[in-house]
Amino acid sequence: MKNLLKKTIKTFPSIIIILGVFVISFIFVNNKLNLNSEVKNIELPNTSSPFYYGVGPKGLASAEVFKLIKVSEGNTIPFTIAVSPVDQVWYFAYSDSYPALKSIKDQNGFELISDFKVTTGNNIINTSGEKITYRIYEYNNVTTLTSYKVTYL
């Protein structure tokens, strides 16, 4: 291992390894290995915030929206859902780190974005203890439909 490390360092004169918040740097200067380690507060961009969607009564609190269907994989925009509201409205929530939606279309291609109320600043604490701010879209009209597709763009 020691020889491999020396060989690697000769090839790359400076190596920095980040392990969570612990930083180890190896620097090879004048045929001597200098080792340095320190604790750093490193913030990585949150790219894996889940989406939430579903149906519910009009005026759900953000805490209730976060209890709807959670999508942790494949959560990219555009995002299409199929729901069956019964005297309910649609909800869609995603991290504020993504830009605002440009369009919301129904399964027939009709533009619906002006029929949604948008709220920002809705916070949730993820499993890592980080606070993530969400944007929530709530449909303005109570409706009843069966397996109706809506695409958020």
Side-chain angles (χ1 to χ4, degrees):
M1 177 72 173
K2 190 175 178 182
N3 288 338
L4 177 62
L5 183 59
K6 281 184 177 180
K7 192 180 275 187
T8 302
I9 290 174
K10 284 181 182 177
T11 307
F12 303 100
S14 177
I15 297 174
I16 297 175
I17 300 172
I18 300 172
L19 304 169
V21 295
F22 194 75
V23 177
I24 303 170
S25 59
F26 301 93
I27 302 171
F28 194 78
V29 179
N30 296 330
N31 292 328
K32 288 189 177 182
L33 175 64
N34 293 332
L35 175 65
N36 182 30
S37 64
E38 58 186 295
V39 175
K40 295 249 185 195
N41 186 9
I42 300 169
E43 286 191 24
L44 300 175
N46 188 347
T47 57
S48 60
S49 300
F51 290 173
Y52 296 86
Y53 76 91
V55 296
K58 194 171 176 130
L60 274 183
S62 60
E64 296 301 311
V65 172
F66 297 137
K67 292 178 183 176
L68 297 175
I69 298 167
K70 179 179 177 180
V71 179
S72 296
E73 293 181 19
N75 52 346
T76 59
I77 302 291
F79 186 75
T80 301
I81 62 167
V83 291
S84 300
V86 178
D87 293 326
Q88 297 170 309
V89 298
W90 297 303
Y91 288 93
F92 181 60
Y94 62 93
S95 171
D96 267 345
S97 64
Y98 292 104
L101 295 175
K102 294 182 178 163
S103 176
I104 302 173
K105 293 193 176 184
D106 72 3
Q107 66 187 22
N108 299 311
F110 292 111
E111 183 59 63
L112 300 175
I113 199 160
S114 63
D115 293 324
F116 278 80
K117 176 177 87 172
V118 183
T119 57
T120 58
N122 305 284
N123 297 320
I124 189 171
I125 306 298
N126 70 10
T127 55
S128 302
E130 298 171 296
K131 180 175 82 172
I132 300 173
T133 304
Y134 272 76
R135 184 184 319 262
I136 297 176
Y137 287 78
E138 176 184 356
Y139 192 56
N140 290 327
N141 307 307
V142 174
T143 189
T144 298
L145 296 162
T146 304
S147 293
Y148 201 75
K149 289 183 183 177
V150 178
T151 300
Y152 299 90
L153 307 153

